[in-house]
Amino acid sequence: MKAKVTKYGIVIPKDLLEGVNEVEIRKDDNLIVVIPTTKSDPILELGKHPVACGISDASKSHDKYIYGSD
């Protein structure tokens, strides 16, 4: 696909961006890269759907249970 560069830049067709809300645009040497970004940081999703496991100190001592160390 080719696009005409105007004094304002270019327009990327919406069908190429289906489901994308935000992009990162970078220039690497002679390459312009458009990368879809995630709306939210996955680390912020932790704990939104907790699992009952019957351990009363799981959040306090999670390293002990995951890695087997104190």
Side-chain angles (χ1 to χ4, degrees), residues 1-52:
M1 164 188 279
K2 291 184 179 183
K4 179 75 174 155
V5 179
T6 70
K7 66 180 182 179
Y8 302 108
I10 66 166
V11 175
I12 299 174
K14 183 67 177 168
D15 61 332
L16 295 178
L17 301 170
E18 186 174 336
V20 177
N21 294 321
E22 182 180 77
V23 297
E24 176 185 341
I25 303 171
R26 283 190 273 166
K27 184 174 182 185
D28 295 328
D29 297 323
N30 289 327
L31 212 58
I32 297 172
V33 183
V34 179
I35 304 168
T37 59
T38 56
K39 189 87 170 152
S40 63
D41 188 339
I43 200 78
L44 299 176
E45 300 296 316
L46 291 175
K48 285 196 173 185
H49 304 287
V51 176

